[in-house]
């Protein structure tokens, strides 16, 4: 009887906990659904707000610049304006260099995939090259579909290994030659300084640091020269 009573009490306790577990599970599911829906709405709101905000910023850019310049003491305005103009030129050169590097990588990817016999090699190569403007995104939009289509086309892993080799070689060239030369030379940074800035940005700030490391280093280089 004592053993039976113990088993019965244990089962009754578990049964008594079921409603609370059910309520907490349903509450968590509802909360996750609501928060997910809210985040999705925020994404669409941002997509709608960003172009509108950019339109007004571009339209009133000269007025905003004049008002900000008026806040600077008159004796320093010429120097500050020169520094900001030089930083703007360096950042525009950075954007042009990035676009040139992406175009060159797109050509290398497309050519390599064509010789591997990958279906849609031109489209995938261009997509991978320009997606590489965001670090590592080119691997997602380039290597994965290229490897999948190549395997489905040949049914063998050897052509997939060739695709992997192409992406590996182009990535090495991008990190050691293309970006340091095309981007670093345009913004006045030594190739070693570009690689060091990217590594330091990744170590300190992660993905955001990778994106902003080179333009931040270029702006800091302008300030250093002026100093």
């Amino acid at each position: 009887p004592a053993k039976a009573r113990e088993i019965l009490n244990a089962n009754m306790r578990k049964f008594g906990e079921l409603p609370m577990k059910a309520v907490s599970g349903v509450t968590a599911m509802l909360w996750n659904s609501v928060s997910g829906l809210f985040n999705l709405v925020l994404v669409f709101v941002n997509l709608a707000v960003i172009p509108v905000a950019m339109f007004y910023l571009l339209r009133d850019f000269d007025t905003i610049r004049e008002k900000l310049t008026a806040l600077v003491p008159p004796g320093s305005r010429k120097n500050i304006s020169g520094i900001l103009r030089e930083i703007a030129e360096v950042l525009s050169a950075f954007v042009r260099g990035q676009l040139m590097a992406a175009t060159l990588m797109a050509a290398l990817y497309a050519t390599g995939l064509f010789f591997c016999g990958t279906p849609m090699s031109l489209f995938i190569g261009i997509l991978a090259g320009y997606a590489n403007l965001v670090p590592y995104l080119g691997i997602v939009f380039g290597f994965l579909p290229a490897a999948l289509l190549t395997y489905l086309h040949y049914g063998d892993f050897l052509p997939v290994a060739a695709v992997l080799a192409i992406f590996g070689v182009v990535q090495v060239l991008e990190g050691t030659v293309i970006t340091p030369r095309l981007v670093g030379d345009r913004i006045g940074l030594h190739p070693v300084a570009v690689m060091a800035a990217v590594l330091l940005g990744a170590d300190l700030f992660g993905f955001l640091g990778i994106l902003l490391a080179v333009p931040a280093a270029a702006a800091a280089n302008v300030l250093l020269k002026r100093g």
Side-chain angles (χ1 to χ4, degrees), residues 18-38:
L18 283 177
M20 289 302 299
K21 289 183 178 179
V23 169
S24 62
V26 170
T27 304
M29 185 179 67
L30 290 175
W31 173 251
N32 290 333
S33 301
V34 171
S35 61
L37 179 62
F38 184 69

Side-chain angles (χ1 to χ4, degrees), residues 7-225:
I7 295 173
L8 184 63
N9 289 335
N11 287 326
M12 289 299 292
R13 279 197 302 271
K14 290 180 181 178
F15 183 76
E17 292 171 357
L18 283 177
M20 289 302 299
K21 289 183 178 179
V23 169
S24 62
V26 170
T27 304
M29 185 179 67
L30 290 175
W31 173 251
N32 290 333
S33 301
V34 171
S35 61
L37 179 62
F38 184 69
N39 290 332
L40 185 63
V41 170
L42 279 181
V43 169
F44 284 107
V45 168
N46 286 331
L47 290 176
V49 167
I50 288 172
V52 174
M54 287 300 299
F55 169 77
Y56 284 109
L57 282 173
L58 291 172
R59 191 193 67 173
D60 299 330
F61 182 76
D62 293 333
T63 305
I64 294 171
R65 183 172 58 186
E66 290 174 1
K67 290 183 177 180
L68 290 176
T69 304
L71 298 175
V72 180
S76 303
R77 285 179 189 172
K78 184 177 180 181
N79 191 27
I80 295 296
S81 297
I83 291 173
L84 294 178
R85 190 180 304 110
E86 190 173 348
I87 290 176
E89 290 173 356
V90 166
L91 294 182
S92 63
F94 167 76
V95 173
R96 289 194 296 270
Q98 285 285 80
L99 289 174
M100 289 182 63
T103 303
L104 180 57
M105 291 182 67
L108 292 175
Y109 279 137
T111 303
L113 293 176
F114 174 78
F115 284 109
C116 282
T118 300
M120 302 174 62
S121 57
L122 179 62
F123 173 75
I124 294 175
I126 293 174
L127 181 63
Y130 285 101
N132 209 68
L133 289 170
V134 179
Y136 306 117
L137 202 61
I139 300 297
V140 176
F141 288 105
F143 173 69
L144 294 181
L148 180 62
L149 289 175
T150 303
Y151 179 75
L152 292 176
H153 184 69
Y154 289 102
D156 189 8
F157 283 104
L158 187 60
V160 177
V163 171
L164 177 61
I166 288 169
F167 274 84
V169 169
V170 175
Q171 283 294 316
V172 171
L173 288 175
E174 186 270 337
T176 58
V177 178
I178 297 174
T179 295
R181 291 295 180 184
L182 291 180
V183 179
D185 289 349
R186 286 175 169 268
I187 61 179
L189 289 177
H190 192 274
V192 175
V194 173
M195 288 188 283
V198 172
L199 292 174
L200 187 62
D203 188 54
L204 294 178
F205 303 106
F207 181 72
L208 187 63
I210 295 175
L211 286 178
L212 301 179
V214 177
N221 186 44
V222 172
L223 296 175
L224 185 63
K225 287 180 179 179

